[in-house]
Amino acid sequence: MSYETLLVETNGRVGVVTLHRPKALNALNSQLIEELNRALDALEADPGIGCIVLAGSERAFAAGADVKEMQFLTFPATYRDDFITSWERLSRCRKPVIAAVAGYALGGGCEMAMMCDIILAADTARFGQPEIQLGIMPGAGGSQRLTRAVGKAKAMEMCLTGRTMDAAEAERAGLVARVVPAADLMAEAMKTADRIADMPLAAAMMVKESVNRAFETTLAEGIRFERRLFQALFATADQKEGMGAFVEKRQPGFARE
Ligand code: CAA
């Protein structure tokens, strides 16, 4: 499969997608979104892949939706075509996705990172929703996911003023799982991704589904949902192997069914 705005490779059981529009700081245009969706379809369909890493460049994870593409859009066209719908593919990915963020993650770039399951940040990372400075507002979930991640006070301030957060603040606020030196970002992302990809696939996918359900439902319903998934995992060979290996004091050899 050929891509012009992405680099896609597989490394063992990990699919690595690197956004690659260097001249535009990885601004997210429609071609990139179409290619990203195609890459995600292929990696999800590949039973050998257990985790996906989404990365940008050293300078920018992504500096937002492509302003040059949006500049002359009108309300009727934006409403009718609802181009942001096509961005949602990433949030529907069922396999775990790690965002490896260095440099700018602004606007749609920050929103895309937040659609991933774990954000690992380089110490150079900057997160923000500066859309208001363009006369618009976050359009790919930023006002919702940022608020859930960092709370109303910071989300409101960032969306209303366009102020960006550095990596340390983002970690304190709970937006990112971990901050690492920029030079180590991809190695750390791969280490985490390898570890996840080595887990039983059904369990990893169900963990993702269950944690995400916490944002969509009540506590009682969420706990009921978790209980069903927990029970279902007893139907897998990997549960027999995992518990058998523990009891027999050996390393498990998962089938990752
Ligand atoms: N869209 C299109 N092109 C972009 C871009 C974007 N979002 N961000 C950067 N670029 C382009 C610049 O136009 C420039 O191209 P040229 O060399 O052809 O002029 C190139 O990338 C390099 O950018 P700068 O010269 O501006 O680099 P800088 O280091 O001076 O500044 C920056 C970096 C602060 C990130 C600045 O580029 C910037 O503010 N970018 C826009 C950020 C933004 O507003 N993002 C939100 C977009 S709207 C959105 O995302 C909507 C949504 O919610 C879905």
Side-chain angles (χ1 to χ4, degrees):
M1 233 176 285
S2 71
Y3 303 99
E4 286 177 12
T5 63
L6 306 177
L7 306 171
V8 181
E9 55 193 341
T10 57
N11 191 329
R13 296 176 47 78
V14 176
V16 183
V17 179
T18 306
L19 307 176
H20 188 64
R21 289 191 72 208
K23 289 187 185 142
L25 299 182
N26 292 333
L28 305 162
N29 65 0
S30 42
Q31 182 186 3
L32 185 150
I33 297 294
E34 183 274 320
E35 291 186 0
L36 175 62
N37 292 350
R38 223 165 3 102
L40 292 172
D41 286 345
L43 292 170
E44 285 236 278
D46 183 343
I49 295 295
C51 189
I52 296 166
V53 172
L54 181 62
S57 67
E58 275 177 30
R59 210 171 148 214
F61 177 74
D66 191 315
V67 178
K68 291 167 188 166
E69 205 177 57
M70 293 186 297
Q71 182 180 4
F72 298 110
L73 282 180
T74 61
F75 167 71
T78 314
Y79 181 76
R80 189 186 58 233
D81 300 340
D82 194 17
F83 70 95
I84 294 289
T85 294
S86 60
W87 292 43
E88 289 167 4
R89 170 69 184 86
L90 176 59
S91 65
R92 287 198 309 274
C93 190
R94 296 177 70 220
K95 291 179 178 172
V97 185
I98 297 174
V101 176
Y104 298 111
L106 301 179
C110 185
E111 292 170 309
M112 192 166 268
M114 292 190 292
M115 287 183 206
C116 300
D117 304 306
I118 297 174
I119 302 179
L120 280 189
D123 49 13
T124 57
R126 290 207 81 89
F127 299 88
Q129 299 291 160
E131 291 91 340
I132 195 161
Q133 296 173 126
L134 298 168
I136 57 168
M137 60 176 282
S143 66
Q144 305 303 300
R145 290 196 177 92
L146 187 65
T147 307
R148 282 165 167 78
V150 306
K152 175 178 165 180
K154 277 184 189 289
M156 195 67 97
E157 190 205 10
M158 289 171 70
C159 294
L160 283 174
T161 67
R163 177 176 86 78
T164 59
M165 259 188 196
D166 65 17
E169 184 182 4
E171 186 182 28
R172 282 197 304 279
L175 179 61
V176 311
R178 221 149 30 92
V179 180
V180 299
D184 301 340
L185 177 67
M186 284 315 289
E188 285 295 326
M190 288 307 296
K191 209 194 294 176
T192 306
D194 279 336
R195 191 177 166 125
I196 294 169
D198 281 345
M199 300 296 173
L201 182 57
M205 291 173 68
M206 287 190 196
V207 165
K208 168 169 178 162
E209 199 180 356
S210 194
V211 172
N212 280 335
R213 187 55 71 101
F215 295 99
E216 304 285 352
T217 191
T218 64
L219 180 61
E221 280 306 318
I223 285 173
R224 246 192 296 278
F225 183 78
E226 178 195 82
R227 195 68 47 84
R228 291 292 168 271
L229 295 183
F230 171 76
Q231 291 159 346
L233 285 170
F234 285 82
T236 63
D238 283 344
Q239 174 268 329
K240 303 289 176 286
E241 173 61 14
M243 292 194 180
F246 175 81
V247 172
E248 291 158 22
K249 299 188 188 301
R250 61 173 172 79
Q251 286 299 311
F254 290 123
R256 299 191 190 88
E257 53 200 344

